[in-house]
Amino acid sequence: MKTFLAKTSTKIIIGVILIGAAFFGVFKYVEYRFDLLAGVVAQSKDNLSEADQKIAELEATLAGTQSTVTSALDQAEVSNRNLKDQVNEMTNTVGALEKLSTTDPELLKKYSKVYFLNEHYVPISLSDIPAEDRSKSSTNFQFHSDALPYLEKMIEAANDEDGLSLLAQSAYRSFAAQSVLKANYKVIYGAGTANSFSADQGYSEHQLGTTLDFTTGKTAGALEGFDKTPEYKWLLDNAYQYGFVISYPANNAYYKYEPWHWRFVGVALATRLHDDKTYFYGMDQRIIDTYLAQIFD
């Protein structure tokens, strides 16, 4: 019996030992597999970290490339704009030269006691001022054809105002017509007085065809007293918008004050004279000449 118990105990112990060994083996295997998995995870993390670094490097490279490309595109755009500006400037210059080549160079010269128009000078083209825009007593009613539309628009705008009746009285005069007129003035007023308000032939702005004397429908063609009319006030405030300026304002150095005498010089120059509060004969001729190409713009 003791022998049997001893053998049984021995078997139980051996079984426990075997079971423990088995569990130990399993534990060691699990530990091994865990370590192996941990190594794989660690390697994966390293790989991921390396991949993230490469991605970051690629993104930095891409950003740098994009910045370079953007900078290059910006530079190209600036170059294109500069080129377009140069082309536009050249085109404008060519256009201005073409205009100058076909525009009468006399139109913006100072003719009152300065420049001289000979007896053969006649404007390139003259047209009649419409009957409704001129005084019934007018006998000189031709005007430069290219400037006439500006005159018609101005008279229409003035007469759209309540109570205004602006009319053209005397426009183009030839060299011969001015000569006859001046001779008559000398007989009537004497040479000294006539010279103070009337130009000699060749020095009259009227020969250009872009100058005229205004009157009103209320004064039957009379010029004296025009500065007291609302039509004159309207011209002072608005004529520059249509390219017209008063040639001989008060205190000018050429002729006596002539509120009725207005000259077409183009909208650009008329606007500058108006804004600068000066008059045509008070401006340097070299500056005036720069506006010739724009006179009919």
Side-chain angles (χ1 to χ4, degrees), residues 102-111 115-126 142-147 171-179 201-211 263-264 292 295-296:
T102 57
T103 303
D104 184 352
E106 310 294 340
L107 292 179
L108 290 183
K109 298 298 184 186
K110 297 178 180 180
Y111 284 101
Y115 292 95
F116 178 80
L117 282 167
N118 67 50
E119 66 271 23
H120 303 295
Y121 177 83
V122 177
I124 294 173
S125 177
L126 291 167
Q142 286 189 308
F143 202 66
H144 196 291
S145 298
D146 291 328
Y172 168 70
R173 297 180 201 145
S174 67
F175 184 96
Q178 185 66 26
S179 178
Q201 58 274 20
Y203 291 101
S204 172
E205 292 183 333
H206 283 275
Q207 192 177 344
L208 292 168
T210 54
T211 302
R263 176 175 177 174
F264 179 81
L292 181 61
I295 188 169
F296 297 120

Side-chain angles (χ1 to χ4, degrees), residues 46-61:
D46 290 341
N47 291 340
L48 286 174
S49 178
E50 184 178 350
D52 287 342
Q53 184 177 355
K54 288 183 177 180
I55 290 172
E57 291 174 354
L58 287 173
E59 288 177 343
T61 301

Side-chain angles (χ1 to χ4, degrees), residues 217-247:
K218 311 158 195 171
T219 57
L223 301 179
E224 293 297 331
F226 184 71
D227 58 328
K228 303 297 190 301
T229 67
E231 285 82 359
Y232 173 66
K233 176 63 168 58
W234 188 93
L235 286 174
L236 288 178
D237 293 338
N238 300 281
Y240 74 94
Q241 299 177 61
Y242 303 89
F244 287 84
V245 296
I246 183 171
S247 294

Side-chain angles (χ1 to χ4, degrees), residues 56 68 81 121 148 160 198 205 229 263 270 275:
T68 301
R81 282 202 302 266
Y121 177 83
L148 183 58
D160 280 343
S198 178
E205 292 183 333
T229 67
R263 176 175 177 174
D275 292 346

Side-chain angles (χ1 to χ4, degrees), residues 157-210:
N159 293 339
D160 280 343
E161 299 286 334
D162 290 339
L164 296 191
S165 178
L166 182 68
L167 296 173
Q169 175 62 23
S170 180
Y172 168 70
R173 297 180 201 145
S174 67
F175 184 96
Q178 185 66 26
S179 178
V180 171
L181 182 65
K182 183 60 179 285
N184 290 338
Y185 283 152
K186 286 182 177 179
V187 172
I188 297 172
Y189 300 104
T193 301
N195 287 336
S196 69
F197 68 86
S198 178
D200 287 333
Q201 58 274 20
Y203 291 101
S204 172
E205 292 183 333
H206 283 275
Q207 192 177 344
L208 292 168
T210 54

